[in-house]
Amino acid sequence: MKNVRWRSHASVFAVAVAIGGLCGAASAQEASASATAAEPEVVVVRGIRSSLRSSMNVKRDAVQVVDAITAEDIGQFPDKNLGEALQRVTGVQISRQDGEGRGVSIRGGDPNQTRVEVNGSTAMSLTVGAGDRAVDFRDLPVEFISRLEVVKSATPDMSEGGVGGTVRIVTRRPFDSRKPFFAASAQGVYSNIAESWDPKLAIIGSRLFAGDKLGVLVSATYEDRHLFSNNARTTGWIRRTDARTRAVGATGRDSDLNGDGVKDWIPEIPRLIMDRRDTKRAALSSVVEWRPNDYTNLFAELTYARAKEEVYSQFLQLSGSSGEIDYANSRVGADNTASHVELVSTTAFPIDLTYRNILGSLTRTQYTSAIGGKWTVGEWLFDGRVSYSKGDVHNDEINSTAVVFGVPRAVIDYTGSQGSPQFSFPGLDVKTGQGVNQLDAVYNPRDNVADELAARFNAAWTPSDSLWITSVKFGVSRTEVSNESLLYQRTIRLANRTPMPTSSGAAVVYSVPAATLQSIVNVNSRVNDIPFFKTGDLGYSGGVRQWVDNTYATYWATIAASGTTMDVHATNPNANTMGSYQAFLDTWTVEENTNAAYVQLGFRFDNDFPFPVDGVIGGRLIDTDTKSSGYNRVQGTGGAVTFVPGVREGGYSEFLPSFNMRLKFVPNKWVGRFTASKVMSRPAPSQLALRRSTDIVGLTGSRGNPDLLPFSAAQFDLGLEHYLNADSFWSVTLFRKDISRFIVNQSSPEVIDGTTYNITRPVNDNSPVKITGVEAGIQYAFDFLPAPFNGLGILANVTVQEDKGYKGTNAITGEALPYPGLSKTSYNGSLYYENDTLSARLSYNWRDKWLITPTGRGNLPEFNKAYGSLDAAFNYNVTPNWTVFIEGVNLTDEVRVEYNADARVIGNETFGSRIFMGVRFKN
């Protein structure tokens, strides 16, 4: 694979030359507050109340619908994770991994439909497999951040890509302060589930040179974290019919547990998961700015973050088709769902119990870089930038798996208060290699690389004598995006069981004595030292909490016993692989080249209406060409499979009009807003990838679709804001989104090389989904109270929304499903106190239940129950330069619960609480 794709298209360099000719360059980010407002004077914010005041001013001064979060001081942000900070914004909901905020949805839009920028440059997705474009917020440190902005209404000068909205990450810059500054922090992070204290260090410094015309800022962070989570999971629930009905014998496969003639729901792949990741993160941000005069500003910047997770996750699981049901000892609970199931092994259907460990590492590398600036000539402002962004994920996945085929009896009980599976295996010691008769060593290295080369040039005219035109702005841009995927898969399998497995695909089987298999486990594996689910409520005591924990030594001993080596580039002896361990259908490249142009008009009427009115109107035209290259899987008449290189092209054009109007009923006190715009988000790269597979026998097949159109939405806002004083306001906004072009899989005839196949591929469905809602928020400082109570303040917001038109239905009940990811209600509340010496904050965030996917295991819907988190922070200024702090996240050890029906829980996840303790210094 090519790690960096510097592409030489004339259009990109034409813009670059224009920028150089003008000695101009884009500001650190595209203007966030108003397309027509002048650049604000930079002020260094310190303290909770100053931070809130600054964020309030951004909201009030913007011509768009914008919410902001501002750092409380240099290197001090209100939360320890960008995602967790964003969840405090009205209309924003987040997804988590191992307890950390990862993905962000805005007003019900999927994280895949949220555009994210770092100082105006695109942040690339770090999703393994390129299954979406969602940006991962875990690795970019909060210490770099000056301000976060959530832009909910679009203007023509904004880059397209956010149906939900756009998140702007603004880092600190050298001219934020005319005085040199330096700040640093050192902290320990305690995880009660990992029972570990972990270090984190951060520094940031800036200084002006050459008569305050040249500024340099450098910041860096490093942390070494133990990120753990535990999940008691029932992967799916099934109803099963068997030719041998329950009446035939004491055991069977039919799922009518109680003999009432109704098929009952029984668990499929119940398992316990201990996800463990030792994560090292390093990040660097650097900005150089040159302001030789009042008319010119040049800059170069780089933001880099790298995280390497050493993974040693541990699973205990039963296969979905394990054993026969012991009817006499099994029970049925609510909604015809098994509350207690006992399975026994038979010759035809042995119970297989798996001790699986995911090892290896996962490395995420991301950076955004840009050069550019701006140049003022009279009433004209020219600006431009050339940027390069990259997201690189290397998943060096290793699996070490031990299987016991023929477990005498397995008991899975669901009578606990939380609906989670409780296991017991009479006669089997799950802490040893007893009964192990198969070992797998798996190596699946995968690389996903996404990069973007972009160039933008803008010109704005601000007439000094116009009665109502405040600005005319226009610009062009060129972006070239590439997404690449490469996957190898190889399994070395040792077995001694009846019947013996056969070699196929990526797996090669070796016959090894059972005593050797069990010895490998007993000598090389261990037992987990921290019991399963030690935090949170599992709903029962006892049960299996410790079991075989395979290690690298187990993995290497498995390979050694096969007499071969683990080389994914070796010849694959199995049929229909073309002699390779390469996963050809997961090897592809998708390129998207986009040209865009826009024009927008800023207007202001001070005396033509009973109150001043201003705003922006205009449109953006984009033209995108897509090219997908990869492999086609072809199965011939004799059954032989080959993989043939192929290329397919597509593309589309879109016009995106927008209108933003601000009504100053009482200037700086009462503000109204109305916006209307069309926005779009592009499909996932994996959906655009070629990946064609055909079967000449059944005349069926599947493929990706480079002709997919982007998601499209018409959106509207109507808002009212009341600014009470310098620190307090309330706001209410009604919003609506009409989202269309959802992507669904559809089968239809397609002629390939003269033969007609029934091909399944993703296509656009034009049925719109309408999301309507209301956001309300208040920020209030009790500065009118007598000391010391005048340091108190509150922040609160609530979002209520509903959807209509989503075509997904519940496969169980036939009822219409809600839009995925949308919680009908969410709210945040914070109480803070601040004086010259100390500050404290107590915050609670809650969101209602939401649909994770409409078609999970068995095509059943999967939901997440309502979830809330309590966080707190305390800072004490020992001196003007030194501060000690303690902060806590998820202080009540909340458990995240997934389900597909009220009586059928599919996941109980705990990630414990986190405590941050440390010290900060600033000069």
Side-chain angles (χ1 to χ4, degrees):
M1 291 183 68
K2 288 169 282 191
N3 290 328
V4 178
R5 296 175 59 89
W6 285 103
R7 288 145 292 186
S8 55
H9 288 266
S11 55
V12 170
F13 284 97
V15 177
V17 169
I19 294 170
L22 290 169
C23 295
S27 59
Q29 64 148 40
E30 296 181 359
S32 62
S34 169
T36 61
E39 182 175 317
E41 180 183 356
V42 174
V43 177
V44 177
V45 175
R46 289 188 173 91
I48 294 177
R49 189 163 289 180
S50 294
S51 165
L52 297 177
R53 183 183 303 133
S54 178
S55 299
M56 184 183 77
N57 290 338
V58 169
K59 181 179 182 70
R60 178 177 54 200
D61 296 340
V63 74
Q64 302 155 279
V65 179
V66 176
D67 288 291
I69 304 172
T70 305
E72 295 173 2
D73 204 343
I74 298 169
Q76 179 181 343
F77 210 70
D79 287 273
K80 293 298 184 182
N81 170 281
L82 293 182
E84 291 162 14
L86 287 166
Q87 73 177 336
R88 319 237 180 250
V89 172
T90 54
V92 173
Q93 297 159 348
I94 69 169
S95 59
R96 298 175 183 269
Q97 180 169 332
D98 300 322
E100 293 187 307
R102 176 178 178 174
V104 167
S105 2
I106 303 173
R107 291 179 169 178
D110 188 90
N112 187 46
Q113 299 168 350
T114 299
R115 175 172 171 80
V116 181
E117 300 175 351
V118 180
N119 295 331
S121 299
T122 303
M124 308 303 290
S125 174
L126 295 169
T127 301
V128 175
D132 58 39
R133 296 180 190 263
V135 171
D136 193 326
F137 284 85
R138 292 175 294 168
D139 299 332
L140 192 63
V142 295
E143 286 83 359
F144 291 178
I145 309 305
S146 172
R147 186 173 68 254
L148 293 176
E149 296 177 357
V150 179
V151 185
K152 301 172 184 175
S153 66
T155 52
D157 59 347
M158 291 176 58
S159 296
E160 69 282 353
V163 160
T166 297
V167 174
R168 288 172 170 161
I169 301 171
V170 184
T171 65
R172 292 199 173 272
R173 307 191 71 78
F175 284 88
D176 285 356
S177 173
R178 292 286 177 178
K179 297 180 180 179
F181 67 80
F182 174 81
S185 64
Q187 57 190 293
V189 186
Y190 180 74
S191 165
N192 63 345
I193 191 172
E195 297 182 350
S196 171
W197 279 99
D198 300 323
K200 181 176 183 179
L201 304 171
I203 59 170
I204 181 170
S206 177
R207 186 180 181 89
L208 301 184
F209 301 91
D212 291 351
K213 295 181 179 180
L214 177 68
V216 178
L217 179 144
V218 178
S219 53
T221 64
Y222 174 81
E223 62 179 314
D224 187 352
R225 298 280 302 282
H226 290 76
L227 299 172
F228 287 15
S229 64
N230 292 178
N231 200 330
R233 191 162 188 84
T234 302
T235 308
W237 291 87
I238 61 172
R239 293 178 291 193
R240 189 167 57 208
T241 299
D242 193 77
R244 246 179 348 123
T245 63
R246 185 186 188 285
V248 173
T251 66
R253 299 276 289 166
D254 195 277
S255 70
D256 180 8
L257 302 188
N258 56 6
D260 64 357
V262 177
K263 305 303 178 187
D264 300 307
W265 294 95
I266 58 175
E268 184 181 34
I269 316 183
R271 55 182 177 171
L272 309 180
I273 305 170
M274 301 186 72
D275 195 11
R276 301 176 301 216
R277 301 166 187 264
D278 288 355
T279 304
K280 292 180 172 62
R281 291 175 174 146
L284 173 70
S285 180
S286 181
V287 182
V288 177
E289 282 189 280
W290 182 43
R291 300 184 179 183
N293 52 52
D294 293 339
Y295 312 107
T296 306
N297 177 12
L298 304 178
F299 76 87
E301 64 186 24
L302 169 69
T303 301
Y304 166 90
R306 182 177 187 269
K308 184 172 184 179
E309 300 177 349
E310 297 291 346
V311 183
Y312 53 108
S313 298
Q314 180 183 1
F315 296 67
L316 179 146
Q317 67 184 46
L318 289 173
S319 169
S321 58
S322 278
E324 293 194 357
I325 301 168
D326 180 353
Y327 293 119
N329 291 297
S330 298
R331 300 287 182 270
V332 179
D335 194 15
N336 294 307
T337 302
S339 60
H340 182 91
V341 180
E342 297 201 15
L343 304 174
V344 294
S345 281
T346 64
T347 301
F349 297 100
I351 300 172
D352 53 315
L353 174 65
T354 300
Y355 311 121
R356 178 190 176 198
N357 283 74
I358 299 179
L359 306 170
S361 64
L362 176 66
T363 304
R364 299 184 297 270
T365 305
Q366 60 181 309
Y367 56 81
T368 58
S369 59
I371 57 172
K374 63 184 178 182
W375 185 38
T376 302
V377 181
E379 296 180 344
W380 286 87
L381 173 64
F382 302 95
D383 71 81
R385 61 189 291 130
V386 175
S387 63
Y388 180 73
S389 304
K390 182 179 179 183
D392 187 341
V393 184
H394 177 63
N395 188 12
D396 206 46
E397 181 184 336
I398 290 172
N399 279 218
S400 179
T401 302
V403 184
V404 181
F405 283 92
V407 174
R409 178 175 289 269
V411 180
I412 313 105
D413 184 81
Y414 288 91
T415 58
S417 62
Q418 301 301 312
S420 53
Q422 180 178 356
F423 292 96
S424 61
F425 304 96
L428 180 69
D429 184 359
V430 296
K431 297 181 182 180
T432 71
Q434 178 189 353
V436 169
N437 46 24
Q438 179 176 303
L439 283 175
D440 287 355
V442 180
Y443 184 39
N444 297 334
R446 180 195 286 269
D447 286 280
N448 291 105
V449 178
D451 65 355
E452 177 187 278
L453 178 63
R456 302 185 181 99
F457 176 74
N458 307 294
W461 174 52
T462 306
S464 59
D465 56 355
S466 173
L467 295 178
W468 62 276
I469 297 175
T470 58
S471 69
V472 177
K473 188 176 181 181
F474 55 90
V476 294
S477 66
R478 167 81 175 185
T479 59
E480 298 176 356
V481 178
S482 173
N483 280 274
E484 300 177 348
S485 174
L486 176 63
L487 173 65
Y488 286 88
Q489 296 176 309
R490 183 173 182 181
T491 298
I492 294 174
R493 177 166 293 157
L494 313 181
N496 189 295
R497 62 184 180 88
T498 304
M500 279 288 287
T502 58
S503 297
S504 65
V508 178
V509 178
Y510 302 85
S511 178
V512 174
T516 301
L517 300 176
Q518 294 171 26
S519 176
I520 288 175
V521 174
N522 289 328
V523 171
N524 299 286
S525 300
R526 61 185 183 184
V527 175
N528 52 293
D529 52 349
I530 300 177
F532 175 73
F533 227 91
K534 70 176 292 291
T535 63
D537 181 11
L538 195 54
Y540 60 79
S541 59
V544 175
R545 303 286 180 140
Q546 294 175 293
W547 63 90
V548 168
D549 191 5
N550 299 320
T551 65
Y552 278 105
T554 314
Y555 173 79
W556 291 114
T558 301
I559 296 171
S562 72
T564 186
T565 60
M566 183 60 83
D567 180 5
V568 294
H569 300 289
T571 300
N572 186 338
N574 294 330
N576 298 327
T577 63
M578 294 185 63
S580 175
Y581 290 103
Q582 184 174 352
F584 289 100
L585 294 185
D586 276 299
T587 301
W588 46 263
T589 299
V590 172
E591 297 176 63
E592 299 166 288
N593 296 327
T594 300
N595 294 317
Y598 75 90
V599 61
Q600 70 180 39
L601 174 71
F603 60 86
R604 183 180 68 234
F605 299 96
D606 291 331
N607 302 311
D608 299 270
F609 297 96
F611 42 80
V613 174
D614 65 354
V616 172
I617 187 172
R620 184 178 186 87
L621 179 65
I622 67 107
D623 181 74
T624 298
D625 294 322
T626 61
K627 180 180 179 182
S628 177
S629 56
Y631 290 89
N632 296 319
R633 180 185 183 275
V634 179
Q635 184 174 4
T637 54
V641 173
T642 56
F643 296 90
V644 181
V647 176
R648 190 179 178 99
E649 297 182 348
Y652 50 86
S653 297
E654 295 282 348
F655 179 66
L656 307 173
S658 63
F659 175 73
N660 290 261
M661 182 171 64
R662 179 174 50 174
L663 302 91
K664 302 178 182 179
F665 300 124
V666 179
N668 295 320
K669 290 292 185 181
W670 288 91
V671 176
R673 299 184 188 277
F674 174 75
T675 77
S677 59
K678 181 182 177 183
V679 292
M680 54 163 278
S681 293
R682 293 183 170 87
S686 60
Q687 294 173 316
L688 298 169
L690 194 62
R691 307 176 74 177
R692 192 180 75 193
S693 175
T694 56
D695 177 4
I696 192 64
V697 178
L699 296 179
T700 59
S702 62
R703 67 169 174 85
N705 187 0
D707 289 314
L708 282 173
L709 298 175
F711 294 90
S712 177
Q715 61 181 29
F716 308 91
D717 296 274
L718 182 64
L720 179 65
E721 301 158 12
H722 182 30
Y723 295 89
L724 305 170
N725 52 47
D727 298 301
S728 305
F729 79 98
W730 61 258
S731 65
V732 178
T733 302
L734 304 176
F735 63 87
R736 172 169 168 168
K737 288 180 181 290
D738 295 350
I739 309 174
S740 60
R741 297 185 189 157
F742 287 93
I743 298 171
V744 298
N745 288 326
Q746 186 179 89
S747 298
S748 60
E750 186 171 323
V751 178
I752 301 174
D753 297 330
T755 302
T756 301
Y757 295 85
N758 193 37
I759 299 292
T760 300
R761 62 187 179 277
V763 298
N764 293 105
D765 183 274
N766 289 321
S767 301
V769 171
K770 302 180 189 300
I771 298 176
T772 56
V774 58
E775 300 172 345
I778 184 170
Q779 174 179 308
Y780 196 80
F782 295 98
D783 49 5
F784 60 88
L785 294 176
F789 304 106
N790 57 349
L792 287 169
I794 60 168
L795 296 90
N797 63 66
V798 62
T799 301
V800 179
Q801 54 192 349
E802 62 179 9
D803 67 284
K804 182 180 180 181
Y806 181 64
K807 296 179 68 174
T809 57
N810 190 318
I812 304 172
T813 65
E815 297 174 340
L817 290 170
Y819 185 64
L822 184 145
S823 290
K824 288 192 173 181
T825 305
S826 61
Y827 61 80
N828 296 274
S830 295
L831 174 67
Y832 70 86
Y833 179 82
E834 182 179 54
N835 61 28
D836 292 338
T837 304
L838 63 87
S839 65
R841 186 199 304 254
L842 184 68
S843 301
Y844 185 73
N845 172 271
W846 183 89
R847 64 180 296 192
D848 202 355
K849 68 179 182 180
W850 68 94
L851 177 66
I852 300 169
T853 176
T855 53
R857 187 86 179 182
N859 286 323
L860 301 180
E862 297 180 355
F863 300 88
N864 202 109
K865 286 190 174 181
Y867 180 83
S869 178
L870 179 67
D871 308 326
F874 178 83
N875 296 270
Y876 181 76
N877 300 324
V878 181
T879 72
N881 303 107
W882 291 91
T883 301
V884 295
F885 62 89
I886 180 170
E887 300 183 28
V889 177
N890 191 30
L891 294 175
T892 53
D893 280 343
E894 293 298 315
V895 173
R896 192 179 65 85
V897 180
E898 299 178 26
Y899 65 102
N900 63 24
D902 290 340
R904 291 183 289 279
V905 173
I906 58 176
N908 299 72
E909 183 186 29
T910 179
F911 28 76
S913 57
R914 289 171 283 153
I915 303 296
F916 301 77
M917 296 180 63
V919 59
R920 277 189 294 267
F921 170 81
K922 63 180 180 183
N923 64 349

